[in-house]
Amino acid sequence: MSKKPQYDPEEIRFPDQKIETSYLVHEMEQSYIEYAMSVIVGRALPDVRDGLKPVHRRILYAMYEDNLTADKPFKKSATCVGDVLGRYHPHGDASVYDALVRLAQDFSMRYPLVDGHGNFGSIDGDPPAAYRYTEARMAKISDEMLREIEKDTVDWDPNFDESRKEPRVLPSRFPNLLVNGSSGIAVGMATNIPPHNLREVINATICVLDNPEAELSDLMEHVKGPDFPTRGIIMGRSGIRAAYATGRGRVCVRARTEFEEFGNNRTRIIVTEIPYQVNKRMLIKNMADQVEDKRLEGISDIRDESDRNGMRVVIELKRDANPQVVLNRLFAQTQLQTTFAINMLALVQSGGQPQPKILSLRHILDEYIAFQEEVIVRRTRYDLRKAQERAHLLEGLLIAEDNIDAVIQTIRESYDDAKENLMNRFGLSDVQAQAILDMQLKRLQGLEKEKLQNEYKELEARIAYFNELLSSEEKIRGVLKDELTAIRDRYGDDRVTEIQDVEDEIDIEDLIEEEECVFTLTAGGYIKRTAASTYKAQRRGGKGITAMSTKEEDYVDTVFTASTHDFILFFTNKGRVHRKKGYQIPEAGRTARGTNLVNVLPIEQDEKVTAMIHLREFPEDRYLVMVTRSGTVKRIQLSSIYTARKAGIRCITLDEGDELICVRETDGDQAILIVTHDGMAICFKETDVRCMGRDAAGVRGINLRPGDYVVGAARAKRDHQVLMITENGYGKRTDMDEYIRADGPQKRGGFGLKGYNVTEKTGPVVGVKVVSDGDDVLVINDAGVIIRMAAAGISTYGRTAQGVKIMNLEEGVKVISFARTDHEEEEEAAEGETPAGGLEQA
C-alpha cells in the first residue's frame, strides 16, 4: 500500500514540480491588460505614420513582395490572401479578404490602395464574390506607400514564426491617415477618422513645412474638411473645426438632392449622392417602410434608377405635397442626413512604444512630417553608404587600370595568394582586390579609364550632396516639400464633398461655458481643472479641504486660477513653452488625481512644467519676464511665443544645471520682485532688462549667496502688499513701499534686502505673491490639502518679521505652493467644523 502524500497547509509541494501561489484578481488584470494592448496595437488602431492597421500593411507588403504592382497583370485574390496568411497574419482568411476588399472599394476609400477586378461589393451592401473569383493588384498610388522601403527607411520585426521580416510601418510618402481615414474598435477605445482630399492635405503639410508657427486657421485654409468618396454635403464648419482642434467632433452630412418636374404639374426628388457609409438599399427600404406606416406623407413612389453612369434615386411626390416639407422630413427621419462622429485616435510612438492618443490636425501633420524627415535621413544614409562602397571599388579599378600589366603579371605569378599579393603590392583593400579577381580577363584588359573616372566624379558629387543634405535640416525639409509636391501634382484631384455654411452656426468655444477654474499640477505630472466654486472661503488657521488625491510619493506642486477660454502657457524647466486652451485641460473632481501631463503635452521624460500663466491674447505691447533658479532674468515680447507647434518652442537658453521657475506677464513698465529660499528679496524696474529674442539666455537678476536659490517672482505694485509663505505654514504681508523706496526700486544684480526673517520655526520661503485686500489666497501643502482664505485676514508686518501661522500642518507636512484668486465671501461654519472654520481632511 502506497504512502499518502503529505500536504502543507501553506503550500502543496510535489517532488518534481514547483507551484507558485498567484492571486486570481492579479492574474485576470494582467491578462486582460495584455490582451487589450494586443488588440489596440496589433489589430484595431492605425499608426499615425502610415495610417494603416497591421492587416492592411501586411496585404500591401505581400503584394509588393510578389511584384503585384499596377503595371503587372492581375492575380487571383486567393493568392494574396494565402500569402498574407502564410507569411505574416496568423488569423482567419475572411478577415484578410474583407480588409483587402475594403482597400479596393471606391465608395469606402477616397483613394483605393488596391486595384480590384471582379465583384468587390457595392454601395447597396452587396457582398463581394469569393476570393477564388476576384483578382487584385496594387493601385498606382500604393507605389508611394512602399517607395524605397528596401533602402532601410523603416524598422523591421520578425513575423509570427520568425522565418522572415515584416515592416513595422510603411514609408507612406503621403499622409495616408488623413487621406483615406480609418475606423476601428479596440478594447475600451475606438477610432473614426474621415477621408480627406489628397491635394488639400499635402498643401496643409507644405504649409507647416513653410511656416512651423502655422495656426489651425492657417491649416483650414487648405484642409476645408473631410472629403468623402460618396460625395454628399457637409452642413456647417463648427464640427470640423472642433475635430481639427481637439481630435473629436461631429459633422452633419446630407445627401445631394434636386427637385424635378414631371407629368401634370407634379414634382419628384432626385437623390444623386448619399452620406458616407450609408447603405443605399437599406436607405430606400427604410423610406418605403415609413411611407407604408404613414410616418412619411406626400410620397407616391420610390425607385432606384442607379446605373453605371451614377446614382439616381427617384422619390415621386403626390400632387398636393409640398416638396420642401417632404424633403425636410426625409432629412430628419432617414439616413439622407447623418452625423459622422470624428474621433482621431491613432498610435503614436512614445519612448519607442506605440501609445494610443487623440490627435488634433496639427498633431497628425507634425507626427507625419517628423516620420518623413526620418525616412529621408535613413534613405540618404543608405544611398551614401552604397555610393561610398561603389566609389571605393572604383578607386581599386582605377589603380588596376593604371597598372594593368603589373596586375595581370601579379595574378599570373600567384597561386592561392593572388588577392593578398594584389593588396600588398598596390595597397588595395580586400573588397577592391576581390573585385579585380572576379572580373573576366577581357574586361580587365578593356577597362575604360575615362568611363571609370567619369563615374567616380559623379559618385563624389553624390557623396558630397548626401553629406550636405544630412547636415541640414532645412534641406531635408526642402526635399520633403519637393517630393510631396510631385505626389500632389500626380495624384491630386478636386474636392468632391461640398461644405455649406449654416446660418447661426455655433463654434466649439460657444458650446463651452466660460467659468473660473482652479488648475492643479502635481510634482508627479498630473494636471486637472476644477471649478473654483468648489473651494469655499475659510478663515485663516483652518486645515482646509482635500483638493486632490495623490500617490504616496506624489504631491501637488502648482495651483492657479484661470478661465476655460483663456490660453494656458506651460513653461518647462528646460526653457520650452507649450500652449493650450483652458477647456482642453481635462476636468476632474475635487479629490481626483487628474490626467498625466504627458497625455496633454508632448514633454520628455526628464522634463517638467515649472511655470504656467493664462491670458486671452498675444498683443505686441505685452512682455514676459522669466526668472530662473540661479537668479537669471530675461524679458521677451509676448507675441514672439505665439505658437501652436506640437513640440512647443524654446523661450530661453539655460546654463547647465539651471532651470526656469517663474514667468510673469508685464506691460513693459513695471517693477519685478524676486524672492529667494532664504528670504532675500530684490525689486528692480523691468526696463533694466532689455527685450531679447527667444534664444537669448538673459542677464543677472539677483546675486545669490552659497546654497540659496530663487523660489519666486512677482510684479511689484504700489498700494499692494507682498505676501510670503513659508514651508511650516507661516506667512505675512508686507507693504510694497518697503521694497519700492522713495528714490525708486533697486538696481538688478545685487544681493537684495531681507524680505523674511527665516528661522527654524518658520522654515524657508516657498514663494511670493503680490496681493490686495480684495484677494483670496489658496495655500496647498504636500499632502494635497488646500485652504482658501481672504488675503486681508493675513497680518501685515515689516520685512524682517517672522509672520503668523496661517495653516495648521500635520507632523512632516510642508506648504509647497500658493496662488492668488478673486475674493469669495466666507460661509458660516457648519455643524461638525472646527472652530477656526477649517474642514477636517476628507
Side-chain angles (χ1 to χ4, degrees), residues 661-676:
I661 64 164
C662 185
V663 181
R664 291 290 179 266
E665 182 189 359
T666 70
D667 60 7
D669 190 29
Q670 297 196 7
I672 303 300
L673 177 69
I674 299 178
V675 174
T676 75

Side-chain angles (χ1 to χ4, degrees), residues 29 112 123 211 216 310 462 498 526 559-560 591 611 721 774 788:
E29 287 178 349
I123 199 170
N211 178 22
L216 177 59
R462 291 184 63 196
E498 181 185 348
Y526 286 85
V559 59
F560 69 97
T591 59
Q721 299 85 41
R788 181 172 186 162

